[in-house]
Amino acid sequence: QLQLVESGGGLVQPGGSLRLSCAASGFTLNTYAVGWFRQAPGKEREGVSFISHSDRWIYYADSVKGRFTISRDNAKNTVNLQMNSLKPEDTAVYYCASAPVVGSWYTPIEYDYWGQGTQVTVSS
């Protein structure tokens, strides 16, 4: 069974950092493209970051560029999202998603597999 599980969410003060992890089971994640999305209450799910299956292409939403970093840990079969300088507007449920090939990285329908999400709350 192909499965993605996110971890690493929590409550952090503005300016703080969190590291999210997306762990795959049932398949080798480094042969798949992976996207991170987030969804705040009352808002649509939005693309945050993307890494292609070959790691050749990495993208970030303008709102997180320079603060977030996506990376793979192939030994652990995970994709991580390092989030620094967090802001209250980063508060959302964060999801990882995967597919063999992705056309439009920020379009949720492009992805075949989704995790259950992890809550990130940035508040003082």
Side-chain angles (χ1 to χ4, degrees):
Q1 183 179 0
L2 306 182
Q3 190 175 13
L4 295 173
V5 178
E6 302 94 340
S7 61
L11 173 64
V12 64
Q13 292 186 342
S17 298
L18 283 174
R19 184 178 179 86
L20 304 184
S21 183
C22 174
S25 60
F27 66 109
T28 303
L29 197 55
N30 66 7
T31 63
Y32 283 67
V34 176
W36 280 97
F37 289 77
R38 66 186 181 187
Q39 189 165 20
K43 295 187 177 181
E44 293 187 354
R45 193 167 296 190
E46 63 170 347
V48 174
S49 185
F50 169 85
I51 186 166
S52 66
H53 72 281
S54 62
D55 296 1
R56 182 175 181 180
W57 292 284
I58 291 177
Y59 300 121
Y60 298 96
D62 287 344
S63 58
V64 306
K65 206 170 290 183
R67 300 187 297 122
F68 290 12
T69 304
I70 193 170
S71 64
R72 292 186 185 272
D73 186 336
N74 294 330
K76 295 182 179 179
N77 204 25
T78 62
V79 169
N80 302 312
L81 186 69
Q82 178 67 41
M83 307 188 297
N84 298 328
S85 302
L86 283 161
K87 305 175 181 180
E89 51 264 42
D90 294 318
T91 295
V93 178
Y94 283 70
Y95 301 88
C96 66
S98 184
V101 178
V102 171
S104 172
W105 75 268
Y106 47 85
T107 303
I109 200 173
E110 295 272 344
Y111 296 83
D112 299 323
Y113 309 107
W114 288 82
Q116 82 290 347
T118 185
Q119 176 71 46
V120 172
T121 303
V122 185
S123 175
S124 55

